[in-house]
Every structure is written in C-alpha cells, then in structure tokens.
Amino acid sequence: MPATTNASESALPDARCGTPDGSPPVRTTRTPPTVLMDDQALAEFLNAAVGEYRLVTPETPLPCFALLLGSAEGTTYHVRRVAFGRNARTSDPAARQEFRDTIVPEFGPAYENEHRGWWMDSRDLLRASREADALGMDLLGSIHMHPDWHRLGPPSERGKVLSERPTPMDRHLFGRTGWPLNIICYLEHRGGVFYHALAAWAPPPRQPSEGTECPEFALRVRTSALLEA
C-alpha cells in the first residue's frame, strides 16, 4: 500500500531523544515487551482523535498525535498518560526541510499538503519530557490516528485502506525518531458510531539485512472502567 494513502502519519519531533538532558530514549529488551495501557490515557487520546476526525475533509487530512508517558520495567511498557503538543509541520525550518528534501521525494506529492503529517514542537516535547520526569515516568514514544481514509479521502485514494498497521511512511518516521514504542489507533465511523483498533510497534530494524518491517508488541488495555460500571 503506497504511503501516500495515509492521512495522518506518525510524528517527527524536532529533537532526537525523549529526555531534555539528551540521554538516549528507553530501549527495548531482547524479549518482546508487552504494552499495558491505562484506559484513561486511551480515552483521552480517543476524545482528541474523534474531535480531529470530525474536521477531516478530502483536502484537510488532519492528524492526531500524542506522546506516551509511563514506565519501562523488565519486559513491560506501562502507558499511564498521554501528552499533546502543537504541530510545527509548517513553522519549523527543520520540518519544512525534512518534508521538502526527504519525505515528498520518497513518499509522493501528497505530502506537500501541510495538513498531512506531524512534527512535534520542540517546546512541547521538552515540556512533556519534564512532566514525565516530575512524575517519575519515562517518555516512551507516541500514538497517532489512522482514519478510514478510503471513506473520507479524495476519489483517487478511496481504494486504499488504512488500518492499525504501519504504512511505509510510518516505518520511516518510527526509525527516524528512535522511540521504542509506537502505537497506531485506527478510527472509523459507521452507522453514526465510532470504532477503533489499536496496535503497538517497535521501530524497524537498523540493519537492512534484518528487513524493514516493524516488530509488533502485545498490547493490553486496562479494563477498570468497565469493571466499575
């Protein structure tokens, strides 16, 4: 599936690490981790994603992106909070250069659209890193939305279906950010009701001989709200 079908690809922050002091981000272990996500964190992201989804048009494929805050212990990533930030896709000089010189030539002219793609504002990235540090948490990675673009997009893209799996563009940006955890939330609207699916991914292997696919993590969402209902 061509990467140009993705209406709201992964984020590309204008910083290369998840901590304000420049230390490396949390790394995955040899055993594939399990991802535990608090339901309140997911609900906060879904509320924002639905809000953006309602504004999407064929000309404005608005993205929804957030950072993941939590802990990494042994073979478990525990996502406890999400942190939103501003999109510097069109205002940051490094972002404009990255899209102009790398992304558009490699993934197609659809990415000339300033609404397609995300670049986390460095000030918001720093704020989220400090918030995580103050709470005794780590900045684990990111979550972003894939809408049912085959229903919302222009006729030329209606035959290409997105899902919770990474697109070629996602794989590129997951590798570029280097964050160990990347969650994709597929969101669709049918019969007046929203549905979603989630999947968690590691960055693609750094060695070309190991392939380009992103390893998938087991993802579990806390069910406390359901049990209390």
Side-chain angles (χ1 to χ4, degrees):
M1 179 178 62
T4 54
T5 63
N6 197 336
S8 55
E9 303 286 1
S10 176
L12 185 62
D14 52 353
R16 295 189 177 185
C17 60
T19 57
D21 61 358
S23 60
V26 180
R27 300 296 181 186
T28 57
T29 59
R30 292 180 179 272
T31 302
T34 294
V35 180
L36 306 179
M37 189 170 192
D38 284 3
D39 48 356
Q40 292 182 347
L42 176 58
E44 186 175 358
F45 179 80
L46 286 173
N47 284 336
V50 168
E52 291 300 312
Y53 181 104
R54 295 184 188 278
L55 300 176
V56 170
T57 71
E59 295 76 31
T60 57
L62 300 175
C64 186
F65 171 85
L67 299 172
L68 302 172
L69 279 57
S71 59
E73 300 176 1
T75 59
T76 302
Y77 290 134
H78 191 163
V79 178
R80 301 178 183 275
R81 295 192 178 204
V82 295
F84 297 95
R86 290 163 292 186
N87 189 356
R89 158 82 167 83
T90 60
S91 60
D92 188 290
R96 293 199 301 268
Q97 182 176 356
E98 174 78 9
F99 275 83
R100 182 184 66 247
D101 297 346
T102 301
I103 292 176
V104 171
E106 184 170 351
F107 298 104
Y111 288 94
E112 293 176 348
N113 186 332
E114 65 182 28
H115 299 290
R116 190 184 293 249
W118 188 278
W119 184 291
M120 174 67 81
D121 187 288
S122 60
R123 294 164 295 183
D124 295 329
L125 179 61
L126 179 60
R127 173 182 51 78
S129 297
R130 288 175 172 170
E131 176 186 349
D133 186 61
L135 294 169
M137 299 182 186
D138 300 311
L139 201 167
L140 300 175
S142 70
I143 180 172
H144 74 279
M145 174 184 67
H146 281 181
D148 49 348
W149 190 233
H150 57 290
R151 297 188 181 94
L152 302 175
S156 61
E157 298 190 56
R158 296 271 171 103
K160 302 165 185 175
V161 181
L162 294 176
S163 71
E164 64 275 18
R165 301 191 62 82
T167 66
M169 174 69 164
D170 288 326
R171 293 195 293 270
H172 169 78
L173 293 179
F174 291 169
R176 176 73 167 79
T177 62
W179 283 328
L181 175 60
N182 307 274
I183 296 178
I184 297 175
C185 176
Y186 174 72
L187 188 65
E188 69 178 29
H189 193 240
R190 292 191 181 190
V193 178
F194 282 99
Y195 299 89
H196 74 276
L198 295 173
W201 308 91
R206 293 185 177 182
Q207 300 299 326
S209 60
E210 298 177 7
T212 61
E213 295 300 319
C214 298
E216 184 174 4
F217 297 150
L219 175 61
R220 310 286 185 258
V221 178
R222 185 174 180 177
T223 56
S224 58
L226 295 176
L227 295 176
E228 294 168 2

